[in-house]
Amino acid sequence: STPKFHSHPTTNPTTMKTYAAICLSLVSATAAFSPVPTKPVNTQISLTLDDIGGASPPLKNFDPLNLATLGSDETLLWFRAAELKNGRCAMVACVGYLTNVAGIHFPGQLSSDISFESLSTMNPFDAWGAVPVAGKTQILATIFIAEMITESKEVHYTKGGPLPGMVFPAIDFSGVSEETMKRKRTSELNNGRLAMIGMMSFIAAHNIPGSVPVLGSNF
């Protein structure tokens, strides 16, 4: 007898594509719920106030709110830079405030209709209000430029670079010893802290008469 050969049924290509699509969908769904490896982020603080200086014997570091423990090392360095720059601004503000109260002024005109002498007869807040908009714009623009210069260094101070230096005028301390620089930095911080307290006293005395007894009505 003639042998009979049985052929396998032909698989439908459309069915195979459907099976493949289902399998791929299952693989994708499984991958979506699989844990994704992440790089650990180190937020541990290794720097302390003792490491960045600023305390003057016999007084120790004063941080009752534990602000030095917030964030990372970069946060602490940012706090130090902010204290340094705010202290410098406060020192300049104190000198300007006291100069105005004492009636000391530049000769000539600030603008076509405002003289420096007329500003010296006002209290500092009224004198600032009398400055033309163009003058205020120039002052704020200068501050903005100085801020951009200190924040645009090749190595930022929060990444290991030096703390912001003086911009106007730029002072070269390259020939000063490290011991002298440490003493000068501490003096600058302390003077800046005192100036910030002083400016707050001036503002309080101006807005709340009698709040600072040692300051007169001119403030």
Side-chain angles (χ1 to χ4, degrees), residues 46-90:
S46 58
L47 287 178
T48 65
L49 287 178
D50 294 329
D51 298 320
I52 63 176
S56 298
L59 300 178
K60 297 182 179 180
N61 292 311
F62 181 74
D63 186 22
L65 299 180
N66 292 322
L67 298 178
T69 61
L70 296 177
S72 62
D73 290 348
E74 294 181 0
T75 307
L76 182 58
L77 291 172
W78 186 85
F79 283 159
R80 171 44 47 86
E83 180 186 28
L84 186 62
K85 291 191 285 187
N86 287 332
R88 289 169 180 167
C89 291

Side-chain angles (χ1 to χ4, degrees), residues 70-118:
L70 296 177
S72 62
D73 290 348
E74 294 181 0
T75 307
L76 182 58
L77 291 172
W78 186 85
F79 283 159
R80 171 44 47 86
E83 180 186 28
L84 186 62
K85 291 191 285 187
N86 287 332
R88 289 169 180 167
C89 291
M91 286 188 281
V92 174
C94 275
V95 172
Y97 204 104
L98 294 174
T99 300
N100 182 268
V101 170
I104 302 173
H105 59 83
F106 290 108
Q109 298 286 121
L110 176 64
S111 63
S112 59
D113 57 342
I114 299 177
S115 65
F116 285 108
E117 183 178 4
S118 66

Side-chain angles (χ1 to χ4, degrees), residues 110-194:
L110 176 64
S111 63
S112 59
D113 57 342
I114 299 177
S115 65
F116 285 108
E117 183 178 4
S118 66
L119 294 178
S120 67
T121 62
M122 309 176 188
N123 67 61
F125 287 93
D126 292 338
W128 170 255
V131 173
V133 175
K136 294 177 181 177
T137 302
Q138 293 175 48
I139 294 173
L140 296 177
T142 303
I143 296 173
F144 176 76
I145 292 172
E147 183 71 6
M148 290 297 294
I149 292 175
T150 59
E151 295 292 330
S152 302
K153 299 297 182 181
E154 183 177 355
V155 181
H156 197 261
Y157 53 82
T158 60
K159 305 294 185 182
L163 288 170
M166 295 293 293
V167 178
F168 304 120
I171 303 176
D172 182 16
F173 291 103
S174 59
V176 181
S177 67
E178 182 60 31
E179 181 180 355
T180 302
M181 282 300 301
K182 182 179 180 181
R183 179 175 56 82
K184 288 182 176 295
R185 281 194 292 263
T186 302
S187 298
E188 182 183 29
L189 283 169
N190 288 335
N191 291 334
R193 291 162 181 164
L194 182 60

